[in-house]
Amino acid sequence: MVQAIVGANWGDEGKGKVTDVLAERSDVVVRFQGGANAGHTIINEYGKFALHLLPSGVFHQRVVNIIGPGVALNVEALLKELAALEERGVPQPQLLISDRCQVMLPWHVDFDRLEEERLGKHSYGSTKSGIAPFYSDKAAKVGVQVCELYDEAFLRERLALALPRKDCLLTSLYGQEPTDLDGLVEYLLKLGERIRPMVADTTRFLHQALKEGKTVLLEGQLGTLRDPDHGIYPYTTSSSPLAGYGTVGAGVPPTAISDIYCVTKAYSSAVGAGPFVVRLEGAEAEDLRRRGGDAGEYGATTGRPRDVGWFDAVATRYGAMVQGATEMVLTNLDVLGYLDEIPVCVAYETAEGERITDFPATPVLMKCKPVYERLPGWKCDIRGIKDWEKLPENCRKYVEWIEQTVGVPIRLVSNGPKRDEIITRNV
Ligand code: GDP
């Protein structure tokens, strides 16, 4: 059985926590796209962690964690994360890296930074971790797969072919020094040796695991609205965060996915550039930002303050639809306990004054304004509550309103950042 855990919105929905929770009853957790550019926050018996590349199953010793072929593998960042877990007393996790996964090269990170600097105020708000240049190179067939790190002649020949184009850009557009081919080859071979024991044919492993009746979780990074095809292009990421892509980026048959858990927050948050219709400003924003997440809404990777807003039904319904959500997980519900009334965005108003409820493409979206309704608040702290029936009535009504508006059952409600702060519903 394969279950996907993916984001309905702009990312940071709390997928890491949900994966950590569901991993308890799973056998394999796979990261299938993205790289070290986003962070999944997890708080459990070992402490608080922001995982960037490691799958969120690493805290469960019986779980096999896989970096799938669709991931942008920054080897140094991965090894750093592993070392940090060890330092903090987490037993060594089981980890496999796909031999077809591609490796982040130093020039990817350089190009990302240099391009954002060149674009200046028109930049896309990249985390500068090399993701866009990495996936561009993959599409252009000049990327380097992990398996190539064990064949020096093959690796050297391919890099030598790619180099003139890279150096042309580096020197003439960005005014940098050209690349030292020998140094690059030597560096990559060393990286290969450091991960050699973890490298495997993970696709074969996954197919075998499924044959044996194991449960596999696919862990998405970011959310629908950052998908390069279906998201807010060009304010998107460079790999698809959709459950549908999970089958490609991990290497499992599309028909194997039985559940798509689409995670959304009880309010909205977004980091990076681009239109965000429900963006709040001033004291109202500061209040929500300070109370949000486990320690305020600040990026787990970059520390950047996230933009915040009220729940956006237009964006979330679209996000869940594109993901093909079979169930929703609503997180951060506890954060809203301070409000007398909770605004929710039920429609957008376009520049022409038309009221729309279908999420539009970017040029229209840029000019949309939110249309709000207000739902009654519950004015108390709901952390610590374990049963659905024990939640205040207005709180349950808020969840039910979102469920009806999005049109997908909400099976899990998260009422705090810790692993055990989660309520299961029988819907
Ligand atoms: P991810 O990338 O989707 O895993 O999300 P992030 O980890 O970037 O952001 C989610 C934030 O919400 C983190 O600060 C989590 O600790 C926090 N979080 C997750 N679930 C809850 C919850 O139910 N309540 C509160 N207060 N915080 C939560």
Side-chain angles (χ1 to χ4, degrees):
M1 172 171 71
V2 180
Q3 300 182 313
I5 300 161
V6 287
N9 307 99
W10 304 266
D12 307 325
E13 296 94 347
K15 299 172 295 292
K17 170 186 164 162
V18 176
T19 309
D20 180 47
V21 170
L22 295 180
E24 204 135 42
R25 47 181 164 88
S26 308
D27 303 293
V28 185
V29 178
V30 193
R31 277 285 311 268
F32 61 86
Q33 45 87 219
N37 52 326
H40 292 179
T41 313
I42 292 177
I43 305 175
N44 55 27
E45 72 266 35
Y46 299 107
K48 175 177 166 176
F49 298 84
L51 297 182
H52 303 289
L53 262 168
L54 285 174
S56 297
V58 288
F59 301 100
H60 302 274
Q61 270 58 65
R62 50 175 288 281
V63 168
V64 176
N65 293 275
I66 292 182
I67 308 273
V71 171
L73 175 64
N74 182 326
V75 175
E76 287 194 56
L78 181 86
L79 293 170
K80 234 190 236 167
E81 268 191 75
L82 274 173
L85 289 196
E86 196 184 336
E87 252 167 50
R88 295 181 55 193
V90 180
Q92 197 177 12
Q94 299 192 58
L95 180 66
L96 295 178
I97 299 171
S98 162
D99 56 356
R100 287 190 163 87
C101 180
Q102 297 204 4
V103 183
M104 181 69 66
L105 302 176
W107 66 45
H108 294 141
V109 182
D110 292 343
F111 277 122
D112 202 357
R113 175 180 54 80
L114 292 164
E115 182 61 6
E116 288 281 292
E117 278 168 19
R118 189 183 75 83
L119 291 171
K121 69 178 171 56
H122 300 291
S123 78
Y124 296 113
S126 160
T127 57
K128 302 190 185 83
S129 31
I131 300 297
F134 171 94
Y135 282 107
S136 310
D137 274 3
K138 184 173 179 176
K141 294 170 285 197
V142 288
V144 171
Q145 290 190 320
V146 164
C147 52
E148 295 177 50
L149 305 181
Y150 309 106
D151 186 332
E152 181 174 349
F154 190 74
L155 175 69
R156 182 179 288 276
E157 188 183 310
R158 293 199 61 247
L159 286 173
L161 285 173
L163 213 71
R165 271 175 59 189
K166 297 292 161 195
D167 279 348
C168 182
L169 272 180
L170 265 181
T171 54
S172 58
L173 181 61
Y174 300 119
Q176 303 293 305
E177 292 297 312
T179 312
D180 163 21
L181 176 63
D182 288 337
L184 182 59
V185 171
E186 193 187 328
Y187 168 75
L188 289 173
L189 293 174
K190 272 193 193 142
L191 288 187
E193 285 316 311
R194 292 177 71 191
I195 56 171
R196 196 190 269 271
M198 294 178 266
V199 175
D201 179 347
T202 56
T203 303
R204 197 171 296 277
F205 176 91
L206 280 167
H207 280 254
Q208 185 57 34
L210 290 174
K211 251 190 213 153
E212 290 166 12
K214 303 251 166 80
T215 300
V216 175
L217 295 186
L218 305 182
E219 179 182 13
Q221 182 220 36
L222 297 167
T224 307
L225 305 175
R226 299 295 181 210
D227 181 75
D229 292 303
H230 298 277
I232 310 166
Y233 189 83
Y235 304 100
T236 42
T237 192
S238 307
S239 64
S240 173
L242 301 182
Y245 182 74
T247 69
V248 178
V252 295
T255 47
I257 299 195
S258 53
D259 304 279
I260 298 173
Y261 286 88
C262 200
V263 187
T264 190
K265 268 181 175 147
Y267 54 91
S268 300
S269 73
V271 74
F276 180 50
V277 175
V278 292
R279 179 184 285 114
L280 291 174
E281 307 284 350
E284 210 180 9
E286 200 33 60
D287 215 12
L288 181 55
R289 182 177 299 119
R290 190 169 50 77
R291 293 166 189 270
D294 70 291
E297 289 291 352
Y298 301 93
T301 299
T302 57
R304 293 187 286 190
R306 293 176 183 152
D307 282 324
V308 290
W310 305 120
F311 181 79
D312 184 338
V314 180
T316 309
R317 193 168 43 240
Y318 174 76
M321 176 187 82
V322 174
Q323 288 287 9
T326 57
E327 44 239 299
M328 300 288 288
V329 182
L330 188 68
T331 68
N332 284 269
L333 188 60
D334 52 301
V335 171
L336 300 181
Y338 68 106
L339 295 155
D340 292 322
E341 282 191 318
I342 307 173
V344 283
C345 173
V346 293
Y348 293 167
E349 192 182 297
T350 66
E352 291 72 36
E354 193 194 344
R355 212 176 145 133
I356 55 170
T357 51
D358 288 332
F359 193 76
T362 308
V364 173
L365 183 71
M366 303 270 283
K367 299 188 195 115
C368 280
K369 294 205 165 60
V371 178
Y372 292 116
E373 274 178 19
R374 286 166 182 276
L375 301 177
W378 47 91
K379 292 288 283 186
C380 68
D381 185 1
I382 58 163
R383 284 183 72 174
I385 296 178
K386 304 268 181 223
D387 300 317
W388 169 249
E389 285 74 27
K390 301 220 168 96
L391 286 172
E393 190 184 357
N394 282 349
C395 183
R396 278 183 280 134
K397 281 191 174 154
Y398 185 78
V399 177
E400 283 160 358
W401 181 88
I402 292 180
E403 182 172 72
Q404 273 165 21
T405 310
V406 175
V408 181
I410 296 177
R411 292 256 154 74
L412 293 169
V413 174
S414 175
N415 59 335
K418 296 194 179 139
R419 188 188 270 171
D420 60 350
E421 292 175 313
I422 197 139
I423 298 170
T424 307
R425 285 179 76 212
N426 293 320
V427 282

